[in-house]
Amino acid sequence: MGESQWVVGQLAFQDRMPPLPADKMTDAQRKAAAEMIAGPRKGVKGPFIPLLRSPELMDRLQKVGEYLRSQSSLEQRISEFIMLVVSREWTQHFEWFVHVPLGRKAGISRTRLPRLPKDGGRPA
C-alpha cells in the first residue's frame, strides 16, 4: 500500500501538504494564520492548510470567501444553498460537510438540500 494506511475501514492517504508547525512559519504565515483564527472561520482548516504556504494568496482568498458568506447582499440561506449546490456539483467533500450544518442553521430544510449522501458517502 505504500504511503497509505487503513483507517476505520477507509483508505486514508498521508497529507502531501500537512499543517505547518508554528515554529516553522514565517512572520507573514503566522500573521495570516492568526487573522484567520481570529475571524469567523476560527482556524486554518481544509484548503487553507496548503494555501498558508502563500500567506498573501490565502489571506486574499479567505477574505473573498468571508465576503461571500457574511457580507454579500444575499441572505444567508441563499448563500449557503448556492455553496451546497456548487460543492455537490464539483464533488467538494470538505465544503459539502462544512456547509450542510451552516445551511440547516440558516433555515434550509432537509428536503430543500441537494440530496444528502447516504451512509456518509459522496454527495449525490
Side-chain angles (χ1 to χ4, degrees), residues 17-74:
M17 296 182 119
L20 293 172
D23 64 337
K24 303 271 187 200
M25 289 183 195
T26 66
D27 289 342
Q29 288 169 327
R30 272 192 289 281
K31 180 179 183 246
E35 287 176 6
M36 187 171 267
I37 291 165
R41 295 180 199 284
K42 305 291 184 221
V44 179
K45 304 173 216 160
F48 296 104
I49 292 170
L51 282 169
L52 185 55
R53 283 149 177 84
S54 178
E56 184 178 352
L57 176 61
M58 184 194 80
D59 184 55
R60 290 173 187 243
L61 286 175
Q62 81 88 15
K63 285 180 180 168
V64 168
E66 185 179 324
Y67 171 79
L68 291 173
R69 283 184 59 210
S70 309
Q71 300 164 355
S72 77
S73 61
L74 295 175

Side-chain angles (χ1 to χ4, degrees), residues 84-101:
L84 288 167
V85 169
V86 171
S87 69
R88 184 184 72 173
E89 177 64 24
W90 290 99
T91 317
Q92 295 295 313
H93 299 288
F94 177 83
E95 295 298 327
W96 176 263
F97 289 107
V98 165
H99 288 281
V100 164

